[in-house]
Amino acid sequence: MNQETISDTCRLYLITPPKFELSRFADDLEAALDAGDVGCVQLRLKDAGDDDVRQAAEALAPIAQSRDVALIINDRPDLAAETGCDGVHVGQDDASYEEARGLLGTDAIVGVTCHNSKHLAMTAADAGADYVAFGAFFPTATKDAKTAAEPELLADWSETTTVPCVAIGGITPENCPPLIRAGADFLAVVSAVWTHPDGPGAGVEAFSRVIAESVMA
């Protein structure tokens, strides 16, 4: 997710499950990335120790990067810099944007959670964030969402700025078309891909079909 990978259409932004067995998940990631267009993968292991995050990053980064997909780490700019990942995603209660940028440099991706606040998003964008993330748009069991967001926020954002926006929160192939039409640049997805009954590749394919149909509509 950099200037070379941002496109005019909506793309998938995959977030890893909160726990996984690394060798098996590496296979799942390969299947997902080979099944359709993915712009970014976020390694999100909130309850894992530093060594586990390092090991996962070092194993998964080559899989993503060999397919021109960025791998970023949630919350930890220090580990992102240490492991050679493409960047970091920080929340409002995590490391600051300035701290992340200072650790990672100007070429890395730094994205910022902005909940349902255009003000937070403008602050992040003005500071130099590469993207802002809004949500949650739908109920989700993956995390305890602090805020609820509406598609109108995406529309307002896309009409007033060129900084890409990520929609997150309970997104599925069935409920995502309004988000795409509203202007989401990326759809952040967890369960709808990794727990798809036919495997993660089928999950990505399902989103790819809906994105193509929504963009053409």
Side-chain angles (χ1 to χ4, degrees):
M1 185 190 294
N2 50 38
Q3 292 302 316
E4 286 73 34
T5 61
I6 293 170
S7 70
D8 292 331
T9 188
C10 186
R11 308 182 71 192
L12 280 182
Y13 176 123
L14 298 183
I15 301 177
T16 65
K19 296 180 181 180
F20 54 79
E21 195 280 312
L22 183 55
S23 62
R24 178 174 179 178
F25 183 73
D27 292 338
D28 286 344
L29 181 61
E30 288 183 339
L33 298 185
D34 289 341
D37 179 54
V38 176
C40 184
V41 176
Q42 181 188 131
L43 177 61
R44 187 178 188 275
L45 296 174
K46 281 283 191 179
D47 298 324
D50 288 3
D51 287 343
D52 290 333
V53 177
R54 288 189 189 96
Q55 184 180 13
E58 290 167 355
L60 300 179
I63 296 173
Q65 293 167 347
S66 67
R67 294 162 171 81
D68 294 322
V69 177
L71 181 76
I72 67 174
I73 294 182
N74 179 269
D75 293 353
R76 297 293 301 273
D78 55 336
L79 293 182
E82 179 183 333
T83 56
C85 287
D86 298 288
V88 67
H89 179 89
V90 293
Q92 293 297 318
D93 300 323
D94 302 322
S96 68
Y97 167 82
E98 290 77 14
E99 179 184 350
R101 183 61 74 194
L103 283 168
L104 289 168
T106 58
D107 293 335
I109 299 164
V110 180
V112 180
T113 291
C114 297
H115 302 302
N116 60 359
S117 170
K118 186 177 179 182
H119 172 72
L120 290 176
M122 290 299 298
T123 299
D126 288 344
D130 294 286
Y131 70 86
V132 297
F134 294 121
F137 286 92
F138 305 102
T140 173
T142 302
K143 61 180 293 187
D144 184 16
K146 296 180 179 180
T147 58
E150 298 295 333
E152 289 75 17
L153 177 59
L154 299 172
D156 183 30
W157 183 256
S158 64
E159 290 168 1
T160 56
T161 181
T162 59
V163 175
C165 60
V166 176
I168 189 169
I171 297 172
T172 69
E174 292 74 26
N175 65 24
C176 71
L179 307 181
I180 299 169
R181 292 193 294 267
D185 296 289
F186 297 88
L187 301 176
V189 178
V190 187
S191 298
V193 165
W194 305 121
T195 64
H196 192 284
D198 295 322
V204 170
E205 289 173 354
F207 275 104
S208 296
R209 288 192 295 270
V210 175
I211 289 171
E213 293 167 358
S214 298
V215 171
M216 293 175 61

